[in-house]
Amino acid sequence: MSLQADSRGVSEVLGFVLVFGLVIASVGTVYAFGVGELRETRDFERVNNAERAFEVFADNVADVARRGAPSRGTELKLSDSTLGYGETMVNVSLDTTPATPGSDMNNSTGSISLSPVVMTLQDAGEVRYATGAVMRTDGNGPPRMTHEPDFIFDKDRAVVQLVRSVPRGTTQVGGERIARIRTVETSRSTLLTRTETPVTLRFNVTSPYAPAWGDYLESEGFTCDPYTDDSTDISCSLDDVSRVTVVRVTVETTFE
């Protein structure tokens, strides 16, 4: 009887050890593979939510810059992210093709700082608004444009409205809160206009999102110099444009 009792005790201990080992192995597997994927899914959705909020912001800025609204306010849930400003330099120029006697061979606007509004979501990525465009990065992925600017590039005409953001008051907010961006137009001017001789329209963009701008301009028929996902400068041109209008609109943005 004592030997049988000892045998049953050993069996129960072995069974407990095996079950406990399976539980530990399962938990370790879930932690090693599942938690990472859950984190990636969470971060992806955070960037998606920020992108949707910035698309609303882009529409509100368009109401002010294009449709004459006196002001617009946009609410964004920060969710442990930072809202601030970035850097994007744009140079737009016109070259006559072919050259005509007495013509201005290179009538350039010079460099314009767009001061894009940027939401940084720690390691999850970044979303930014620049002159009507919404762009994003996911972690270490390449930059891409998800909402195109309201530029017009037809067969014989180009209409470009460059929206420059000017910060008023604090230039950065963050934490777990709902922020509000107030937008008001402060000035408007025509930088370039051409309605006679066909010209070559040139875009030069300096930005961490330069590849996204290059992809967009190529989709609109521009020819761009070679660039990569890591490029910070792009140069693109569109030939034989008969009518060109380039307007600069300055809007004042306030974080509340």
Side-chain angles (χ1 to χ4, degrees):
M1 293 294 295
S2 61
L3 290 176
Q4 291 178 356
D6 290 344
S7 178
R8 285 196 299 269
V10 171
S11 298
E12 291 177 358
V13 171
L14 288 175
F16 174 79
V17 170
L18 290 173
V19 171
F20 186 75
L22 287 173
V23 170
I24 294 299
S26 300
V27 171
T29 301
V30 170
Y31 183 81
F33 298 100
V35 172
E37 292 195 6
L38 287 174
R39 186 181 295 111
E40 290 179 1
T41 301
R42 180 203 62 187
D43 290 345
F44 184 76
E45 285 304 315
R46 288 179 63 200
V47 180
N48 281 345
N49 292 335
E51 177 191 327
R52 287 190 285 267
F54 266 62
E55 288 178 353
V56 174
F57 175 61
D59 290 339
N60 287 340
V61 175
D63 285 342
V64 173
R66 297 190 60 188
R67 306 180 188 108
S71 67
R72 284 290 185 267
T74 309
E75 291 186 348
L76 299 95
K77 187 176 182 181
L78 297 184
S79 298
D80 198 25
S81 58
T82 302
L83 191 65
Y85 295 90
E87 287 291 337
T88 293
M89 303 297 293
V90 175
N91 178 283
V92 185
S93 63
L94 301 178
D95 292 343
T96 56
T97 54
T100 55
S103 66
D104 185 357
M105 283 296 296
N106 187 14
N107 186 7
S108 174
T109 67
S111 295
I112 302 171
S113 176
L114 300 179
S115 299
V117 178
V118 180
M119 179 182 283
T120 305
L121 297 96
Q122 297 182 351
D123 295 334
E126 182 182 272
V127 180
R128 66 170 50 194
Y129 165 89
T131 190
V134 176
M135 293 161 285
R136 65 182 281 176
T137 56
D138 302 301
N140 296 322
R144 54 194 178 94
M145 186 178 294
T146 59
H147 184 279
E148 296 179 350
D150 296 324
F151 299 164
I152 298 174
F153 299 115
D154 289 340
K155 183 177 180 181
D156 63 347
R157 70 168 181 150
V159 179
V160 177
Q161 185 183 71
L162 298 174
V163 180
R164 177 173 177 257
S165 305
V166 176
R168 179 184 179 184
T170 182
T171 58
Q172 182 173 300
V173 293
E176 292 283 350
R177 54 170 290 192
I178 294 178
R180 184 179 179 88
I181 308 177
R182 174 68 61 181
T183 307
V184 180
E185 179 182 333
T186 58
S187 67
R188 178 185 299 263
S189 61
T190 299
L191 296 177
L192 287 176
T193 181
R194 184 68 62 92
T195 59
E196 298 176 357
T197 308
V199 296
T200 295
L201 175 63
R202 302 186 187 279
F203 263 82
N204 296 305
V205 180
T206 300
S207 167
Y209 286 74
W213 282 104
D215 293 344
Y216 161 68
L217 291 171
E218 285 187 335
S219 73
E220 293 289 345
F222 281 71
T223 300
C224 299
D225 293 343
Y227 61 89
T228 67
D229 289 343
D230 298 323
S231 297
T232 56
D233 296 274
I234 59 105
S235 179
C236 303
S237 61
L238 183 65
D239 296 331
D240 298 324
V241 186
S242 298
R243 294 176 294 162
V244 177
T245 302
V246 181
V247 177
R248 177 177 61 191
V249 179
T250 301
V251 297
E252 189 177 77
T253 51
T254 306
F255 296 158
E256 300 174 347

